[in-house]
Amino acid sequence: MTWKMNTDSENSSPLMQASLSDDEYLNPTLVFRKAFAEYSIKDFDYYIAIVVYFSMGVFKNAEQSNLISTYIHLTKMLDAAHLILERRIPKSQ
């Protein structure tokens, strides 16, 4: 399924850009391509589970090496998803 997006950057502001680079802000799908080129869905699922267990104080021996980079990817994906939803063009147009 292909969505059409409004790419007009007229309402651009650093606050709306959030954690995204300039290129990612202009093309938010790059965020997902980069994230899934580095990690699989299973990897993200695993690291989300580790973060949940760790935050509950249950998981004391968590692998901390990739927690930061997966967290950054997840944060960027949330910001990119918000942009995609904001820029989508309704099907009636």
Side-chain angles (χ1 to χ4, degrees), residues 61-72:
N61 299 321
E63 284 183 39
Q64 297 179 6
S65 61
N66 290 330
L67 286 178
I68 299 299
S69 63
T70 53
Y71 171 79
I72 291 169

Side-chain angles (χ1 to χ4, degrees), residues 18-70:
S19 66
L20 306 178
S21 69
D22 292 339
D23 290 337
E24 292 167 340
Y25 181 75
L26 293 173
N27 185 2
T29 58
L30 289 175
V31 173
F32 294 94
R33 288 186 188 133
K34 288 177 186 177
F36 290 114
E38 193 170 337
Y39 297 100
S40 70
I41 291 176
K42 283 186 177 185
D43 292 332
F44 281 112
D45 185 51
Y46 174 74
Y47 288 110
I48 289 172
I50 286 177
V51 168
V52 170
Y53 286 124
F54 186 71
S55 68
M56 292 173 24
V58 176
F59 208 77
K60 295 183 177 129
N61 299 321
E63 284 183 39
Q64 297 179 6
S65 61
N66 290 330
L67 286 178
I68 299 299
S69 63
T70 53

Side-chain angles (χ1 to χ4, degrees), residues 3-30:
W3 286 17
K4 292 184 180 181
M5 286 192 328
N6 182 3
T7 56
D8 182 18
S9 59
E10 185 177 303
N11 297 327
S12 177
S13 79
L15 188 57
M16 287 197 56
Q17 191 166 338
S19 66
L20 306 178
S21 69
D22 292 339
D23 290 337
E24 292 167 340
Y25 181 75
L26 293 173
N27 185 2
T29 58
L30 289 175

